[in-house]
Amino acid sequence: MSDTPPRAKRFPLSLQQLGSTPKPGAAVAREPLKPQGHWQQAAALKARTTPPSGLGLDSAGVRQRMVQRLRMEGLTDERVLNALATVPRHEFVDTALAIQAYEDTSLPIGHGQTISKPSVVGRMIALMLAAPGAQARGDLGRVLEIGTGCGYQAALLMQVARQVVSVERLKPLHDKARGHLTGYSRVRLVWGDGMLGHAPSAPYDSIISAAGGDDIPQAWLDQLAPGGRLVAPMTAPSGRGQVLVLIDHVRDAQGSRFVRSLHEAVLFVPLKSGVM
Ligand code: SAH
């Protein structure tokens, strides 16, 4: 038996040919068009890539699994893990990338910039929390962040700080972050050149940069409070690649000085001067 309906007169169409109900006895095409097919495929793909809880991306469960993976990989500070479990990273990236938001990868946020890997953001915040000053206080105190980007790291910092001032040089990203961070009342977003720090709110107990230059700008050291710690990527001494730099502002009987240590290799976007 053929699946093809009997050939109908094409023009002009009769009202019956336009109607959706086939005439009794008429053969019906067995393969209807499926304009929703792509959606079904996308849903099937999502079902395969989303962890099998069925909770969906906006659930705490998916984040919790990311946190468990990071914990197994050596991130042990409970306050950092708690912050990572709290902030919905998928809400800070474009909808098309939301499915990847809880993988440990950096993701594009537009304008040639990227949001860092959760493990790296977590590691930097943990390094700051381990500073003697932060340990004594129990949190990061007043924080200066250079490179707001999409605002994700600022939201994490808020979980472990008293106040966050975050500077971004690209106006479209500054505006985007403002949209993402409505409701975070203790974050102050500044559109400006972060290489100059942000003197009006200085000094800071903690300074963190999400962009790396050849050296640490003097303004950051000037604005780091005694007992404070700075963590930033910087060009490696070899001149190739970047490393994490940690600087403590020590003040003791011998006076005030900056103690610098170099840590693991990292990959961050470049620190650039001026605003756009
Ligand atoms: N913390 C961000 C990461 C953004 S990537 C997040 O969670 O999304 C680093 C950002 O640093 C970029 O947005 C880049 O525009 C910004 N940047 C680079 N140089 C800067 C400077 N001198 N002042 C302020 N922001 C700067």
Side-chain angles (χ1 to χ4, degrees):
M1 201 177 106
S2 161
D3 282 349
T4 318
R7 219 185 156 79
K9 187 161 71 96
R10 296 178 86 182
F11 295 106
L13 289 173
S14 71
L15 276 177
Q16 276 160 333
Q17 281 172 294
L18 285 174
S20 56
T21 324
K23 268 202 254 171
V28 178
R30 298 245 168 91
E31 272 299 327
L33 286 172
K34 284 188 189 162
Q36 72 277 41
H38 294 300
W39 292 104
Q40 289 165 347
Q41 278 168 24
L45 180 67
K46 184 169 179 238
R48 264 183 280 136
T49 50
T50 303
S53 70
L55 290 169
L57 265 179
D58 54 347
S59 75
V62 186
R63 270 195 299 286
Q64 201 60 56
R65 273 185 289 280
M66 172 185 80
V67 165
Q68 277 161 12
R69 288 194 299 273
L70 295 175
R71 191 196 299 272
M72 285 192 312
E73 285 158 21
L75 188 62
T76 53
D77 191 308
E78 288 303 326
R79 293 163 296 176
V80 178
L81 293 168
N82 197 41
L84 287 162
T86 304
V87 178
R89 192 174 187 243
H90 71 279
E91 290 179 8
F92 288 81
V93 296
D94 287 349
T95 321
L97 297 170
I99 192 88
Q100 293 175 59
Y102 298 109
E103 290 166 19
D104 191 24
T105 55
S106 52
L107 293 171
I109 53 174
H111 309 277
Q113 308 303 317
T114 53
I115 180 175
S116 311
K117 289 161 76 158
S119 58
V120 173
V121 181
R123 161 86 172 137
M124 288 172 83
I125 298 177
L127 278 172
M128 292 206 298
L129 278 166
Q135 285 195 28
R137 203 174 28 243
D139 60 41
L140 294 180
R142 288 158 45 75
V143 181
L144 172 67
E145 179 193 39
I146 294 96
T148 316
C150 67
Y152 173 67
Q153 179 171 272
L156 287 177
L157 288 168
M158 268 324 302
Q159 315 298 313
V160 290
R162 295 183 187 184
Q163 210 210 331
V164 176
V165 175
S166 183
V167 189
E168 171 58 56
R169 65 184 287 271
L170 299 178
K171 184 73 163 57
L173 284 178
H174 164 78
D175 291 339
K176 202 184 220 182
R178 192 171 287 291
H180 289 153
L181 293 169
T182 47
Y184 288 79
S185 58
R186 286 175 295 132
V187 181
R188 173 128 188 268
L189 299 181
V190 177
W191 175 44
D193 181 356
M195 283 179 91
L196 308 173
H198 186 64
S201 307
Y204 303 97
D205 303 305
S206 310
I207 298 182
I208 182 167
S209 176
D214 287 340
D215 207 348
I216 300 300
Q218 182 59 40
W220 299 359
L221 302 180
D222 295 343
Q223 294 172 22
L224 186 63
R229 177 170 283 187
L230 178 160
V231 179
M234 198 186 84
T235 305
S238 66
R240 257 182 291 143
Q242 295 171 324
V243 288
L244 266 191
V245 181
L246 198 149
I247 297 178
D248 282 318
H249 186 173
V250 179
R251 186 143 72 183
D252 55 21
Q254 296 155 35
S256 188
R257 64 195 184 281
F258 294 97
V259 178
R260 182 187 284 235
S261 59
L262 302 184
H263 295 260
E264 67 264 32
V266 284
L267 183 61
F268 279 80
V269 297
L271 180 71
K272 292 184 177 172
S273 60
V275 295
M276 282 176 76

